Each structure stands twice: as structure tokens, then as C-alpha cells.
Amino acid sequence: MARQSHPTMSRALQRRENISGYLFLLPSLIFFIGFVVIPMIICIVTSLTDANMHDQGMFGNFIGFSNFTNLLSDETFLEALKNTFIIVIVSVPTVCAFSLWVSSVIYKLSGPVLSAFRCIFYLPVVTGSVAVTVVWKWMYDNYTGIFNHVLKGAGLIDQNINWLGDSKYALWCIILILFTTSVGQPIVLYVSALGNVDQTLIEAAEVDGANGFQVFWKVKWAQMMPTTLYILVITTINSFQCFALIQLLTKGGAGTNTVMYHIYWTAFKLTEQAGHFGYANAMGVVLAIFIGLLSALQFKLAKEK
Amino acid sequence: MKIETGQGRAYKIASIIILVILAFLFTFPLYWIVTGAFKNGADINATKPIWVPTEWVMNNFDKLMKQRSVPLWEIYLPFGSFFNGGKKVLLTAGPEAPAAIRWLINAVLMCVLAMLITCLTAAMAGYALAKKRFNGRAILFSLIVCAMALPKQVILIPLLKEMSALRLYDSLWAVIFPTVGWPFGVFLMKQFSESIPGEILEAARIDGSSEWNTFSTVVMPMIKPGIGALAIFTFINCWNDYFMQLVMLASGSNFTIPLGIATLQAETSVDNGLLMAGATLAAAPIIIVFLIFQKYFTQGITMGAVKG
């Protein structure tokens, strides 16, 4: 980034730029500071207090880091954290690999076919999280669900499986839905990245006798690194925040509790302490730290490559 | 041209076949929603798959419309509760109508307002960040990038407290304002504004065009594809932000259609026909918006990533 005050600018001109710059920024800044920065500050500050949802004031009593130390021995939270990590560890690489594969097959197809495929893989996103969840719940249903019908018809299972009620399957069922709603954007990104790969480099590699696999790995993959990085970061963030699926399908039961759902549950539903606001925010801070660390790690790994 | 080896060709054909199968699987949930909405009760609860409805009926939609009724619209005085002892000041209310219609209106209104405000404020801010050399620009931009990497949902619970302090809780504004505040739009518009040649802005200035005129007549037309992308992005994100709607909206007349359907699911967990009719209503508007603006959309997603 250039020096902040331009060396060749006169002071009057700099003043003019300052005023007009901030005037153009003002409307956006009001919303950004008011509804993003301030809630973040509230989140961090209240995570150090015993504030609850029914207090009239915003903040309760300062209790230091005990919310955080309590988290370490909160088994429900640790279980939720474990589930969240399973979701992230399974879904991020599969989403990334799958969308790369799909894109590498479709990016050379002719225009209309390409956009048709791109559209189809984007459909679950556009259908909307609630509509998607509602139909999957029916598809997984014990008695009227299509999964049990088809699998029984094919002779793969003898008895109906209660997909969302059985802790052996429930988390995997949720990961499958999350997967279908996550690949749309990466595919769009990879298709465009593959289209932008420098053709002269590919030709040079082929002249040098590289095979298809080597061309892909050494030339295309290397050039798509920034795209891959972006996809990794957004998929990680989305997987960490998995909420609607849990709330609508299992309510955190059958071993599917996630941190995001647990935050919601703690803030609104905790019966004996009705709305433990500070504690919920402490979990939020922990989640944000995890996401921040993972994003930083991914950036670092990508830079080294 | 390179000559295809037999192995390469077999791989290609096999992958196209797999891809077509996958395409069917990805469209299946949507197909199941729409056909489910028109199936009769026997088809819905059948214990073997009914791939195509035996008869197409409307009674799921009829049931949905009869669920409950609320005023078609209610307009309150902004911030009226500050002067009326905490109670909202009702300006006008519409005739009673099926709740699903009201939810649909709420959701569309909410997303359109969020979209318009976001596009305007983000275009202005993005232009300033890209083209104005004001003090503090670098710091501000890094703050925006950092905020984007943070999980949006984490701030929802504190946001709820803030909204109730502002007396905006349980109104569509409580969803609209945080959507506008999310800095992705500013970031995207900055990327688009970078490509405006400085000479054009300089020429407009020399011609005596005011700052605002330069922005509205020179800058805006040049970043139109970016605004199109941001518009559809905001619309879809706002529509899909179920968590925010769940936290911020409380009374049945303020629900959006996704939230309303989710509530119906909790109340009538067995009536899948009714739920599919609701899901059809909830999915139709964004699918239509997506298909209309699809061109902008692909462009927008790519721009945001590549230049970032």
C-alpha cells in the first residue's frame, strides 16, 4: 500500500481528499461500526462477566477469565467442540477436492453446458437453507423418507434406519447436507481460475514432455493457489458456523451438538440460569479464536508453497 | 492438437457420466420439494417412493394459507417506542391475510431493502477506499479485511442486546442493519473501483464536476457489474441468514418465509406436504432472482476472490 499522505499532494488538496473520502465512507462506516464493531466489543467484554439475558443493563459483574476456565471442564461444550472439528476436518478437504474435480471436468465444456452444470451445483445454495433442510429431513425420515425406501428396495438394509435419531449416523447425515450446500461457490471459483491459467506455461510444460498429471500438478495447481486458499478459508468459516442444519434437524441431539448451536442454546434455553449471556459469548470468543488461527495457518502454508 | 490416448478418453467419458449422475442428485432435493408440494396425502405418506405424483393437488397450499392470519402489513413510526412508553406506534395496518403471504412480503421487503442500502453505501465506501488518498486509508482497509475473516454468527447474541436497547428487536430493521454493516460489500466494491482509470476522474474534476456528480455519473456506471453482483449476493445471503432471522424476529407477523416454515416444522412435524408447499414458496423468490442475475453473479464471486 502506498504512503498514506501522498508526497506530491499539496496540503489543501490532502484536506480535500480527507473530507471527501470520509464523507463517502460515512454511511457505510455507521453501519459497520454500529452493527459489527460494537457487537464484537460487547462480545469480548461480556465474555469476562456473568451477564445474563434478562439483565436490564448490558453488562453483569466482572468475573475475570472464569467463563473460559469453566469451558475447559464443560463436557457438553467439549463434545460440541469435538463435533465441530469433525465437521470441519471432514467437509473442508472433501468440498475442496470435489469442487476441483468437477471444475476440471467441466471448465472446457461449451458455454451453455458449462453454465448449466455450474447452475445445478449452485442450486442447493439458492434453494435456501431452510427449504433445503426441510426437504432433507423428510428424505431422512424413518417411515416416509426416500433414503429408507430406496435402500430397502435395493436390498442394502433390512430395517428402516432412523438416520437423524441414531448417533451412529446423524452427524454424517448433517455433513452430507452441508457438503451439497457448500460446493457451489468453490466450483464457480475453480472454473474461472482454471480458465485463467496461463496457456503458454502449459504448452511449454507439454513441449518439455510433462504428462497430463504433471501439467496439472506443477502448472495449474500452483497457479490456482490463491483461489484454493480463499476456498479453504471460506469453507472453514462456513463449516465452523454450521447452525441451521443442527437447529432444524436434531436440536443438537444424537451426538450432533456443535459450538454454534451450543452458543445459541446457552444464551436462550439454559433452564436453571436462564440465558447465560456472558458464558455464551465466551464460547463465541473461543470459536472466533479457532477460526482466526486456522485461517492464519492456511495463509502461512499457502505462502510457503 | 494433442492426440488423445485411449486411457485419457475413457477417463473423460467416465467422468462426464459420473457428473451427469451427480447433477441429477444435486437437483433432486429441489425436485422433491416441488413435487411434494403438489402430492396428495397418500403419496406423501407412502412407504414406497412415489417418483411422480399420482395426482397434482393444491390442497397443501390451501392448508398453508389457512394456517393462521395476520394483517397484510403494519407500518410503525420509526423509533416511536421511545416516546410512547416502550410501545410501538402503529401508523397503518392492512386487512387480515394468510400469514404465509405476509411472511413472503416481509422476506422480500427485508432483502430488497438490505440490498439497496448495501449497494449504495458499499459503492460509495469502495470508491473512496480505492480512489481517495485520505489519511488512515490503509488502517481502515486492514480493519475491514480482518472483520471479514471473523465468524459473523458469533456477534449475533451481543447484537440482540444492542437491538433491544435500540428498540429495534423484532423488526425487519434488526436483520437489515447488520446485513448492511457486513464489510464484504465494501471490499468487493473497492476491488471493482480499482479498475477505474484515474485520468477519467481527473478529467471530471477539471470540468468542474462536483464530487457527488463524479461519483453518480462517472463512477457508478463503470462499476455497474460489481453492483449487480453485490445486489444478488446480498439478497441471497440475507434470505439464507436463518440464524439472524431466528434471533431477531419474535412475533408471528414479523416472520420471514424461511423462519415461518421453520416454525411450522417445529409445530407440525409430520405434515410434509404442508412443509413442502411452504418450502416451495420460500425457495421460489431467490431462485428467480438468481436466474435473472446469474451473469452478474458468477462475475461477482470471482472478482471478490481473485483480487482479494
Side-chain angles (χ1 to χ4, degrees):
Chain A
M1 190 128 310
R3 279 269 302 132
Q4 278 172 21
S5 51
H6 214 276
T8 55
M9 256 190 225
S10 72
R11 277 176 64 192
L13 196 58
Q14 181 62 53
R15 223 179 120 236
R16 198 188 127 120
E17 288 282 292
N18 280 347
I19 293 172
S20 67
Y22 279 104
L23 279 180
F24 272 110
L25 274 166
L26 187 66
S28 180
L29 277 185
I30 292 173
F31 289 104
F32 176 57
I33 293 173
F35 302 108
V36 176
V37 177
I38 291 178
M40 268 174 201
I41 296 170
I42 298 177
C43 184
I44 294 167
V45 173
T46 50
S47 71
L48 302 172
T49 69
D50 63 356
N52 70 56
M53 225 53 191
H54 304 290
D55 278 346
Q56 287 306 305
M58 192 79 80
F59 310 107
N61 304 312
F62 180 78
I63 53 167
F65 285 92
S66 45
N67 280 333
F68 292 92
T69 46
N70 286 345
L71 278 179
L72 290 175
S73 55
D74 180 342
E75 280 184 17
T76 328
F77 172 76
L78 294 177
E79 163 87 25
L81 197 63
K82 191 191 89 191
N83 289 334
T84 308
F85 269 98
I86 293 177
I87 293 177
V88 171
I89 288 166
V90 174
S91 79
V92 173
T94 42
V95 164
C96 215
F98 178 83
S99 48
L100 181 61
W101 176 75
V102 170
S103 320
S104 68
V105 178
I106 65 173
Y107 86 103
K108 277 186 180 162
L109 299 175
S110 67
V113 185
L114 170 63
S115 26
F117 271 119
R118 222 169 20 193
C119 246
I120 285 170
F121 287 109
Y122 212 86
L123 263 185
V125 183
V126 204
T127 310
S129 48
V130 172
V132 164
T133 317
V134 167
V135 73
W136 277 89
K137 183 164 193 181
W138 182 26
M139 283 161 43
Y140 280 135
D141 190 275
N142 203 348
Y143 307 106
T144 60
I146 195 86
F147 276 95
N148 280 333
H149 292 167
V150 169
L151 290 176
K152 238 161 80 177
L156 290 170
I157 53 171
D158 313 322
Q159 280 188 328
N160 284 353
I161 292 175
N162 186 5
W163 296 101
L164 293 171
D166 190 328
S167 53
K168 263 197 307 231
Y169 307 108
L171 193 60
W172 299 101
C173 291
I174 282 170
I175 291 176
L176 177 64
I177 310 178
L178 187 68
F179 175 81
T180 66
T181 56
S182 304
V183 295
Q185 192 172 352
I187 288 176
V188 174
L189 292 171
Y190 268 138
V191 164
S192 111
L194 281 164
N196 289 336
V197 169
D198 194 345
Q199 284 301 319
T200 54
L201 282 177
I202 296 177
E203 278 159 24
E206 278 170 352
V207 168
D208 288 346
N211 62 30
F213 183 74
Q214 284 170 324
V215 168
F216 181 82
W217 204 242
K218 293 270 162 65
V219 183
K220 293 185 186 168
W221 178 248
Q223 282 199 37
M224 288 189 304
M225 213 51 217
T227 309
T228 305
L229 176 64
Y230 181 78
I231 290 171
L232 282 176
V233 172
I234 55 168
T235 317
T236 309
I237 294 179
N238 283 339
S239 311
F240 262 115
Q241 300 189 96
C242 177
F243 172 81
L245 292 175
I246 310 290
Q247 204 256 347
L248 292 167
L249 292 177
T250 60
K251 300 229 175 291
T256 60
N257 200 6
T258 61
V259 175
M260 211 55 238
Y261 184 75
H262 196 51
I263 291 176
Y264 170 76
W265 185 82
T266 309
F268 294 107
K269 301 287 159 75
L270 202 68
T271 40
E272 73 269 27
Q273 278 167 303
H276 205 148
F277 184 62
Y279 194 52
N281 285 340
M283 290 182 216
V285 171
V286 171
L287 189 64
I289 290 172
F290 274 122
I291 294 179
L293 283 178
L294 258 180
S295 301
L297 185 73
Q298 285 165 341
F299 265 103
K300 197 161 179 285
L301 287 177
K303 282 268 157 58
E304 275 170 12
K305 268 226 106 163
Chain B
M1 252 349 276
K2 210 170 50 156
I3 300 154
E4 293 270 353
T5 60
Q7 212 185 355
R9 174 177 256 154
Y11 169 75
K12 217 171 215 171
I13 293 172
S15 26
I16 297 274
I17 292 173
I18 297 174
L19 211 59
V20 171
I21 297 172
L22 281 169
F24 273 108
L25 293 179
F26 268 75
T27 22
F28 184 76
L30 187 61
Y31 171 80
W32 211 234
I33 292 175
V34 178
T35 52
F38 293 101
K39 278 178 183 169
N40 62 24
D43 283 1
I44 294 277
N45 294 316
T47 47
K48 61 180 173 51
I50 308 284
W51 300 108
V52 180
T54 47
E55 55 166 347
W56 295 72
V57 293
M58 287 298 290
N59 63 349
N60 292 319
F61 288 96
D62 290 342
K63 255 190 285 176
L64 181 67
M65 292 303 157
K66 282 189 196 119
Q67 277 293 313
R68 40 174 128 157
S69 64
V70 290
L72 194 55
W73 70 81
E74 286 161 287
I75 299 170
Y76 293 98
L77 185 70
F79 300 106
S81 53
F82 281 105
F83 319 108
N84 196 24
K87 270 184 283 177
K88 291 177 176 177
V89 183
L90 184 67
L91 291 179
T92 153
E96 291 282 313
I101 303 283
R102 170 73 186 269
W103 295 341
L104 200 58
I105 295 175
N106 280 347
V108 172
L109 190 70
M110 176 184 88
C111 294
V112 168
L113 282 172
M115 181 178 95
L116 292 176
I117 306 174
T118 306
C119 285
L120 182 66
T121 58
M124 288 166 64
Y127 162 64
L129 279 172
K131 291 293 165 191
K132 299 277 166 199
R133 295 283 171 269
F134 55 87
N135 295 327
R137 191 176 77 120
I139 299 168
L140 201 59
F141 186 62
S142 6
L143 184 68
I144 283 172
V145 173
C146 286
M148 262 173 30
L150 280 169
K152 188 166 145 190
Q153 301 188 340
V154 167
I155 63 168
L156 267 184
I157 308 288
L159 204 52
L160 170 65
K161 276 243 163 172
E162 195 187 336
M163 287 302 175
S164 57
L166 291 172
R167 310 264 169 94
L168 287 170
Y169 173 67
D170 193 23
S171 76
L172 297 179
W173 298 112
V175 182
I176 294 171
F177 289 159
T179 309
V180 175
W182 197 247
F184 174 78
V186 178
F187 178 76
L188 186 71
M189 297 322 294
K190 178 188 177 269
Q191 307 302 345
F192 272 90
S193 301
E194 296 280 9
S195 59
I196 301 170
E199 297 82 47
I200 293 183
L201 300 175
E202 201 55 42
R205 183 173 309 170
I206 292 165
D207 285 349
S209 163
S210 72
E211 289 283 353
W212 178 256
N213 264 335
T214 310
F215 173 72
S216 60
T217 59
V218 180
V219 176
M220 280 293 245
M222 296 190 78
I223 55 172
K224 227 163 135 192
I227 295 178
L230 181 59
I232 178 170
F233 221 87
T234 314
F235 193 94
I236 292 186
N237 280 344
C238 188
W239 192 280
N240 275 340
D241 201 339
Y242 168 70
F243 195 6
M244 176 112 85
Q245 296 164 22
L246 176 73
V247 169
M248 295 299 175
L249 305 174
S251 56
S253 55
N254 285 326
F255 281 178
T256 58
I257 187 93
L259 185 58
I261 301 312
T263 320
L264 280 184
Q265 191 212 26
E267 287 168 2
T268 62
S269 56
V270 277
D271 195 346
N272 282 313
L274 173 72
L275 290 175
M276 291 312 122
T280 307
L281 279 191
I286 32 173
I287 292 184
I288 292 168
V289 169
F290 175 69
L291 291 178
I292 295 173
F293 293 101
Q294 196 210 339
K295 187 186 74 188
Y296 288 125
F297 194 58
T298 325
Q299 231 174 351
I301 302 189
T302 328
M303 270 305 244
V306 173
K307 293 199 166 176

